[in-house]
Amino acid sequence: MAVFSRIISTIALGSLIASVAGSPSGSSSGALKARHAEHARRDKSNNLATRGRHARRSDAKSSHCAAKRTTAVATSTGSAEADQSVPTTTSKAVVVTTTTSATQPATSTTSSGGGGSCGSTKAGLTWTDNSLNTQGQFTKSCWCYNWGSGYCSTESGIENVPMLWGNDGNRVSEWKAATAGKYFDHCLAFNEPDIGGQSNMSPQDAASAYQTNFVPANCGKRGTPATATGVKWLQEWMTACGNDCPWDFIPFHIYTVSSANAISVIKSFQAAWPDAELWITEIGCMDYSGNNEYCTDDMANSMMQDVKAYINSQPKITHWAWYQTATTTNIDISNSLMNPDGTPSDFYYSWVS
C-alpha cells in the first residue's frame, strides 16, 4: 500500500509540474531566471567593495542648459497611436539593492563635481562595478549613472548623474543624504516604474513621490521617471502631475533585437513630446519580453551602429547609454562595454567612435 501511495504521489506531482509549465506564466520563466541571476550577481558584486550608487555632474550644463520645462500633458493626436505601434520592451528588471557611497572625489559641498561635457558621442555608462581601477580608460564617455544616489565613477571628465531609484524608505533616505547641500547638473528619477520587478509605481503614486522627494534636490535639470514599455505610463504620470512635477528631459529604456524596433520606440517618444530633450538611459540588443533572445556579435554591432546613426542625427536626443558596463553579467559579451579584466571592450570603442 505504501508503494502504491508513492506511485500516486509521483504521478500527481508530475501532472502539477506539467500544468505549471503549460501555463501562460511559464513562457517567461527563462527571462525571470535570467533577471534573478543577474540580480543575485549584482548583490554579490555590491558587497565586494564600497561600490555605491554614486552620482554627480559635469560641465555639460553649459552645452545642455535651456529654459526649464514644466510638466505639460502631451496633446499630440499621434501620441496614443505611436504608443500602440511600439513593440513592448520589457526591461532586464535589474533591481539595485545597495547604495553605499563609494569614495568621492574632493569637491565643494555646494557643487556636484565632475567635469567635461557631452560632445558628439552623447555616450554614457551604466556603471556596475567600482571595485575596478579603470581610471583614464573610459573617458570617451561623458556621463554615467548606476541606478543609485552615490558616485558611479571617479573618472576625470565624466559627469556622475544621481538617481532616486524608487520611493521606498531606504532609497529616499539615501537620496536625501547624498543630495543635501550639493548641486547636480542632471538628476534621474524612478527606474522603470511601469515594471513590476522594478520601482513598480502607479502614475499617481509616482507623481506624488516625485513632488515630495525628488523635486527638492538641487538639480539643474530633472528627468521624468524612466519607463521601459513605451509612452502610455508616462502620459498618465503627466496627467496625474498637472503642473506640479517640473521636468527638463525624458529618459526611457529600449530592449529589442531589431534596429527598426529600437528606432520605432525612439520615434514614439519624439511624436508624443516633439520639443522634449530625450535621454535613452538603457538600450540593449536583447529581448526580455518572453523570448529571452540574446544578440550575436554581428547583431549587436549592427543594431548599435544603426541606432547611433539615428541618435546622432537627432539634436534633441542628448544622452544615451548602452546596457551595460560590467564584467559579471548574464548578458552576452557582445553587449558589454567592458572586458572581463575591466578594460574597455572593442564594442565600447566602436560605440563611442
Side-chain angles (χ1 to χ4, degrees), residues 22-332:
S23 68
S25 61
S27 65
S28 61
S29 62
L32 289 175
K33 288 178 181 178
R35 296 174 187 174
H36 292 164
E38 184 171 350
H39 185 177
R41 245 187 316 271
R42 285 240 183 130
D43 289 343
K44 180 179 180 181
S45 177
N46 290 343
N47 292 329
L48 289 176
T50 28
R51 41 164 283 153
R53 311 288 165 182
H54 1 294
R56 292 240 201 166
R57 57 158 306 243
S58 90
D59 297 330
K61 182 181 179 183
S62 60
S63 59
H64 293 308
C65 280
K68 288 189 178 180
R69 297 172 56 90
T70 53
T71 302
V73 179
T75 57
S76 170
T77 57
S79 298
E81 181 180 356
D83 183 49
Q84 294 170 2
S85 67
V86 177
T88 300
T89 60
T90 304
S91 174
K92 83 289 158 213
V94 174
V95 180
V96 178
T97 57
T98 60
T99 55
T100 307
S101 294
T103 302
Q104 301 179 359
T107 59
S108 165
T109 57
T110 59
S111 172
S112 64
S117 61
C118 278
S120 60
T121 67
K122 308 179 183 182
L125 301 170
T126 55
W127 203 260
T128 59
D129 194 346
N130 280 321
S131 66
L132 298 167
N133 180 11
T134 61
Q135 190 66 31
Q137 298 188 68
F138 287 87
T139 53
K140 289 185 178 294
S141 303
C142 58
W143 66 283
C144 69
Y145 83 109
N146 62 7
W147 300 275
S149 53
Y151 275 79
C152 53
S153 176
T154 57
E155 291 265 12
S156 175
I158 293 183
E159 175 187 4
N160 287 261
V161 181
M163 168 181 267
L164 175 56
W165 187 93
N167 198 47
D168 60 274
N170 288 339
R171 295 184 195 277
V172 171
S173 296
E174 290 163 353
W175 169 260
K176 290 181 177 179
T179 57
K182 297 182 179 69
Y183 169 84
F184 301 89
D185 278 356
H186 301 91
C187 296
L188 297 168
F190 305 152
N191 186 72
E192 298 178 1
D194 53 333
I195 296 294
Q198 292 298 297
S199 60
N200 189 25
M201 305 166 71
S202 70
Q204 295 73 27
D205 289 344
S208 176
Y210 188 96
Q211 296 166 31
T212 302
N213 297 320
F214 184 66
V215 171
N218 189 12
C219 303
K221 300 180 81 169
R222 298 179 181 88
T224 68
T227 61
T229 59
V231 304
K232 185 175 184 294
W233 186 100
L234 191 59
Q235 289 172 325
E236 294 176 357
W237 175 81
M238 291 187 177
T239 298
C241 282
N243 292 320
D244 296 326
C245 301
W247 60 271
D248 303 280
F249 61 93
I250 297 175
F252 58 96
H253 299 169
I254 304 171
Y255 288 94
T256 181
V257 295
S258 163
S259 299
N261 285 350
I263 294 172
S264 177
V265 173
I266 297 171
K267 287 182 176 179
S268 73
F269 279 85
Q270 291 176 311
W273 297 281
D275 297 323
E277 178 182 335
L278 301 178
W279 290 33
I280 304 170
T281 46
E282 291 182 28
I283 180 171
C285 191
M286 60 204 74
D287 182 359
Y288 282 118
S289 64
N291 297 323
N292 202 30
E293 182 178 359
Y294 297 90
C295 290
T296 64
D297 289 0
D298 288 343
M299 289 170 65
N301 190 63
S302 177
M303 178 175 139
M304 181 270 291
Q305 294 292 350
D306 290 344
V307 173
K308 180 172 69 171
Y310 182 76
I311 287 174
N312 287 343
S313 73
Q314 304 297 309
K316 290 187 180 298
I317 303 176
T318 62
H319 296 63
W320 73 308
W322 192 266
Y323 184 83
Q324 70 187 50
T325 313
T327 58
T328 55
T329 173
N330 72 317
I331 296 173
D332 189 280

